Structures are given as structure tokens and as C-alpha cells.
């Protein structure tokens, strides 16, 4: 789960990380009032859940409250990478002497969070990693420890020469790691971490992603959730206890179980096409769920054919077949549907499907190839 910069900055501030003073506004008039209360040059910043807002024109300096009002008017409603700006952060402008990067990300290869520090801040860190890998310093973190002060100091001294600056940076690095662990994050980032001309270190940008697997112990996250961030189809799927993932191809895939979903995606690609999505109906075989699944898949206009690939273990194939029949009758799909159902109560399932004349294939490869043919 992603949260906005202004929310991330509140979490940083609570963790003792210095951030410029600021407040969020939803109207130009509010922006002006906040700028007045700050009483100096401010930055008006689009609050959307993507990076690169600066380059997209979503971060602007305002010297007067009037200018803040005008810029807020321009930025609110702007479209940044497909996301509409509904809020702006009005924040104290900081004079920049240098910009660095500090972040904690999960490194799946070593199965640990890694602290990353780079003197090349302000730009896209993936870009830095590609072009100047030598400018990136990494420290894998021990899940039982936060970070030792000597480790934080070593990283800070690698970036800053001035001991007054590196001392502050070391504290910020240690606090950022603490914020990461204490809040069950999957990512925290300060980009840029700024040093001012007078040698103060402060977090000018803030990014925090939470690890959804820990949501059960963070009731406070609900209030931070931005409904715009979630795909409506994925939300609807979740409300039916289904998991739906939108992809770029044209084959709609209904499967049961994450493993079978992955195998089906692989096979669709190997047979020369691309999945439009996948919808995992999970372990149960409640016909209602199958109807909801079909409704969600058929709404996706890039879907040119739908394949069902169901392995009946606890899931009963006849229940799924009944769901498919009911869905076909109710929703009258205009795209072809192909089915492979195997396992528990398979024979009954095939009889049920025969009634509505849906093509049934015996194996996984056959159903995938047939769906691709029909989508052409
Ligand atoms: P992002 O583009 O979405 O990562 O947004 P940032 O918050 O990182 O802002 C983009 C860039 O705008 C920063 O790298 C800075 O160069 C600049 N910027 C942001 N805030 C300030 C500020 O307070 N003062 C100055 N001088 N520049 C700023
Ligand atoms: Mn940034």
C-alpha cells in the first residue's frame, strides 16, 4: 500500500526525521492560507502516488501566498501519469546546497531489506543504479536489529565530508531504518535528502509503502488509504474474496490458486499470446463467486476470449461448472469462453457444461491454445 508524501512526512516527523513544515490543501484558497501561515517562500507539490512529479510540472516554488494560490489552481486537477491531482502539499521551501538519496528497499535476492545511500540524489534512483552503480552504497539489514550507530555513521561519512553534516545524516539514516521496521514498511525513501547552505540536513521528499501482509496489525492504515490508488476492478474482486490482476494482453484467465495462475500465464505467453488479466477464484467453488469473477473479467474491454483453468481438489468442478452456466445465462458474454476443468466431480461438470454448449478441453495446453485461436 502506498501513501502520499504529506502522510509519509507525518510518519517521518513522528520518527524524529526533520522535514520542512507544511500542510495539505484541496483548494487554491486553502493553499493561500497555508502559505500565509508559513510566511515565507513555499513549494506547492502535487500529491499523487507516483514519482517524478517534479519533471511532470507538479512541484513549483511560490514566493508569495498569491502565487501559491495561483500555482495550486494550476496543479490541482492536473493529470500526472494517469493520476488526477486532488491535493497539494504547501511546504516551506528549502534552499538546496546538495541532494542525496537514502532508502530502505526489499532485496528479494537476499531476502532482506537493504539500506541504500547515494550522493546522487534528486534523480531517479533506478537510473543512478544503471548508469553509475559505483555511486550507490548498500547495506543489508538484519531483521532482528535496526541499524548500529557505527553503520549509519559509516554510510553518512561516505556521502558527506563535513562532520557536522554527516552527524545529522547518520541520525537520519538510523531513524529512517527505525521507521521502516516499526511501521511494517516495504519501502521508505528520502529523495532528495537535502543539505542547506547553512549545513542543516532535511528530508525534502518522502515516500513510504506499507507491506500489505501486515495490514491486520495496523488498523490506522485504513484512514491513510487513497481510494484513487486502487484499481476499481481489483477492489470489486477483493470484496468477493477473489484476487484479480490486470495485465496488458487479450486472454482473460480464470484459475484457482496462485500456482496454477502463474503456470497458466506462462503457458499463454509460451503459446504466443499475452494474458489480459488473471482472476483467482481461490479454494472455494461457490457458484456466486464464479459469476462475480465473470462479471469482472467481461468488463475488461481488452479481453478477446476467456479461459477457465480449474483444478478441482477441495474445489468441486461441478460447482464451478454451475457457476459458469449461471454466469453465461446472466451475463450473455460476447467473447468466446473455453473451459478446462479437471479433478473432483469432473464428469458431472462436463455434463453440466454440455447443456450450454461451451467448449471443454481436456488439458491445460489445449485450453490455452484454443483460447488464443478464438481471440485472434
Ligand atoms: P518528485 O519529483 O516526485 O520526486 O518530487 P520531489 O519532492 O523530490 O521534488 C522534485 C525536485 O524539486 C527536487 O529534487 C528538488 O530539486 C525540487 N524541490 C523540491 N522541494 C524543493 C524546495 O523546497 N526547494 C528547492 N529549491 N527545490 C525543491
Ligand atoms: Mn523525489
Amino acid at each position: 500500500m502506498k501513501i502520499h508524501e504529506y502522510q509519509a512526512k507525518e510518519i517521518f516527523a513522528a520518527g524524529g526525521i526533520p522535514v520542512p513544515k507544511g500542510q495539505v490543501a484541496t483548494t487554491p484558497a486553502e493553499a493561500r492560507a497555508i502559505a500565509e501561515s508559513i510566511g515565507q517562500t513555499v513549494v506547492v507539490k502535487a500529491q499523487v502516488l507516483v514519482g517524478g512529479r517534479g519533471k511532470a510540472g507538479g512541484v513549483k516554488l511560490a514566493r508569495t501566498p498569491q502565487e501559491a494560490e495561483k500555482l495550486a489552481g494550476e496543479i490541482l486537477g492536473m493529470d500526472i501519469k494517469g493520476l488526477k491531482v486532488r491535493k497539494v502539499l504547501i511546504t516551506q521551501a528549502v534552499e538546496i546546497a546538495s541532494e542525496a538519496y537514502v532508502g530502505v528497499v526489499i532485496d528479494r535476492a537476499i531476502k532482506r531489506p537493504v539500506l541504500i545511500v547515494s550522493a546522487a540524489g534528486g534523480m531517479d534512483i533506478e537510473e543512478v543504479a544503471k548508469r553509475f552503480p559505483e555511486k550507490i552504497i548498500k547495506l543489508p539489514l538484519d531483521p532482528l536489529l535496526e541499524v548500529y550507530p557505527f553503520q549509519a555513521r559509516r554510510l553518512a561519512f561516505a556521502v558527506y565530508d563535513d562532520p557536522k553534516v554527516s552527524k545529522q545524516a547518520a541520525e537520519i539514516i538510523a531513524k529512517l531504518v527505525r521507521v521502516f521496521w516499526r511501521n511494517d514498511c516495504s519501502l521508505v525513501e528520502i529523495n532528495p535528502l537535502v543539505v542547506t547552505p547553512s549545513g542543516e540536513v532535511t528530508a525534502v521528499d518522502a515516500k513510504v509503502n506499507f507491506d500489505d501482509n501486515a495490514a491486520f496489525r495496523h488498523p490506522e492504515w485504513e484512514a491513510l488509504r487513497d481510494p484513487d490508488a486502487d484499481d476499481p476492478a481489483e477492489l470489486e474482486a477483493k470484496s468477493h474474496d477473489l484476487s484479480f490482476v490486470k495485465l496488458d494482453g487479450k486472454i482473460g484467465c480464470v484459475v484457482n490458486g496462485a500456482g496454477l495462475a502463474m503456470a497458466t500465464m506462462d503457458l499463454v505467453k509460451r503459446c504466443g499470446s499475452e494474458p489480459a488479466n488473471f482472476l483467482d477464484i481461490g479454494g472455494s467453488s461457490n457458484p456466486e463467486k464464479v459469476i462475480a469473477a465473470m462479471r469482472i473479467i467481461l468488463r475488461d474491454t481488452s479481453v478477446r476470449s476467456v479461459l477457465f483453468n480449474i483444478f478441482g481438489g477441495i474445489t468441486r468442478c461441478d460447482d464451478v461448472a454451475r457457476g459458469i452456466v449461471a454466469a453465461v445465462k446472466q451475463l450473455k458474454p460476447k467473447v468466446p469462453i473455453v473451459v478446462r476443468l479437471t479433478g473432483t466431480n469432473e464428469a458431472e461438470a462436463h455434463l453440466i457444461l454440455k447443456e450450454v454448449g461451451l467448449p471443454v478441453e481436456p488439458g491445460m495446453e489445449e485450453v490455452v491454445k484454443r483460447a488464443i485461436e478464438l481471440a485472434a
Side-chain angles (χ1 to χ4, degrees):
M1 171 180 162
K2 294 179 179 178
I3 59 170
H4 288 290
E5 175 195 4
Y6 77 92
Q7 300 167 318
K9 279 182 168 163
E10 281 167 19
I11 293 179
F12 280 10
I17 297 170
V19 293
K21 200 160 63 176
Q23 244 180 298
V24 77
T26 53
T27 64
E30 254 182 287
R32 179 188 179 128
I34 296 166
E36 264 158 14
S37 76
I38 290 175
Q40 59 163 88
T41 301
V42 295
V43 191
V44 182
K45 308 184 77 177
Q47 298 298 289
V48 280
L49 297 170
V50 283
R53 295 164 303 162
K55 273 192 201 141
V59 178
K60 294 267 168 70
L61 225 56
R63 276 164 230 292
T64 62
Q66 291 83 334
E67 201 183 350
E69 180 174 11
K70 178 174 155 282
L71 289 171
E74 288 166 20
I75 294 174
L76 285 165
M78 199 185 247
D79 189 285
I80 298 183
K81 299 182 184 169
L83 294 171
K84 202 176 178 75
V85 182
R86 299 182 196 282
K87 289 177 183 163
V88 285
L89 173 63
I90 310 301
T91 183
Q92 198 177 16
V94 174
E95 264 190 83
I96 299 182
S98 76
E99 297 182 300
Y101 172 97
V102 184
V104 181
V105 303
I106 308 258
D107 184 333
R108 290 177 192 278
I110 61 167
K111 302 174 187 159
R112 282 188 184 196
V114 177
L115 178 57
I116 297 177
V117 175
S118 174
M123 40 173 159
D124 187 359
I125 194 69
E126 283 86 6
E127 195 62 27
V128 178
K130 230 186 287 163
R131 287 170 48 201
F132 320 103
E134 73 285 357
K135 289 197 179 166
I136 289 196
I137 310 166
K138 291 184 180 181
L139 175 74
L141 296 174
D142 186 315
L144 295 179
L145 302 170
E146 283 170 347
V147 68
Y148 285 115
F150 82 88
Q151 293 175 307
R153 276 199 301 272
R154 188 182 286 166
L155 291 174
F157 273 102
V159 175
Y160 301 109
D161 295 328
D162 181 349
K164 183 178 154 253
V165 170
S166 44
K167 197 161 163 265
Q168 294 173 67
E171 274 181 27
I172 291 171
I173 290 170
K175 284 173 176 163
L176 187 67
V177 173
R178 210 163 296 143
V179 162
F180 177 88
W181 286 122
R182 304 243 166 122
N183 293 284
D184 284 319
C185 297
S186 56
L187 176 140
V188 291
E189 233 177 45
I190 307 176
N191 189 24
L193 179 68
V194 161
V195 181
T196 66
S198 59
E200 302 302 316
V201 186
T202 177
V204 158
D205 193 6
K207 189 165 163 186
V208 167
N209 294 354
F210 295 128
D211 178 352
D212 293 319
N213 295 304
F216 71 95
R217 57 185 178 204
H218 293 281
E220 77 279 10
W221 288 356
E222 232 10 78
L224 301 175
R225 188 180 293 279
D226 177 351
D228 283 356
D230 296 306
D231 178 60
E234 292 184 11
L235 280 182
E236 188 185 348
K238 204 181 270 171
S239 76
H240 291 282
D241 205 16
L242 303 161
S243 42
F244 175 78
V245 176
K246 173 85 186 93
L247 301 163
D248 301 324
K250 54 185 182 179
I251 314 291
C253 304
V254 185
V255 295
N256 64 326
L260 192 57
M262 295 306 124
T264 308
M265 303 299 100
D266 284 351
L267 201 55
V268 169
K269 280 172 175 273
R270 203 178 70 181
C271 294
S273 190
E274 295 282 334
N277 51 48
F278 74 79
L279 205 153
D280 180 0
I281 62 170
S284 123
S285 45
N286 177 352
E288 283 304 314
K289 259 174 121 169
V290 179
I291 299 173
M294 281 275 264
R295 193 181 309 120
I296 293 164
I297 283 227
L298 292 173
R299 208 179 289 139
D300 181 348
T301 51
S302 54
V303 169
R304 305 280 294 279
S305 69
V306 179
L307 73 81
F308 277 79
N309 186 14
I310 304 292
F311 180 82
I314 296 170
T315 304
R316 294 169 32 158
C317 292
D318 56 329
D319 281 340
V320 176
R322 261 181 224 109
I324 296 175
V325 168
V328 167
K329 286 185 178 159
Q330 240 184 64
L331 307 169
K332 303 189 176 43
K334 293 187 181 58
V335 294
I337 295 171
V338 239
V339 183
R340 180 239 183 174
L341 278 164
T342 192
T344 311
N345 296 356
E346 163 181 340
E348 292 92 318
H350 290 177
L351 276 176
I352 292 167
L353 289 172
K354 223 179 211 158
E355 269 178 51
V356 287
L358 281 183
V360 178
E361 296 290 344
M364 190 153 150
E365 194 155 349
E366 288 91 338
V367 80
V368 166
K369 285 187 170 156
R370 187 74 182 274
I372 294 173
E373 263 169 48
L374 290 169

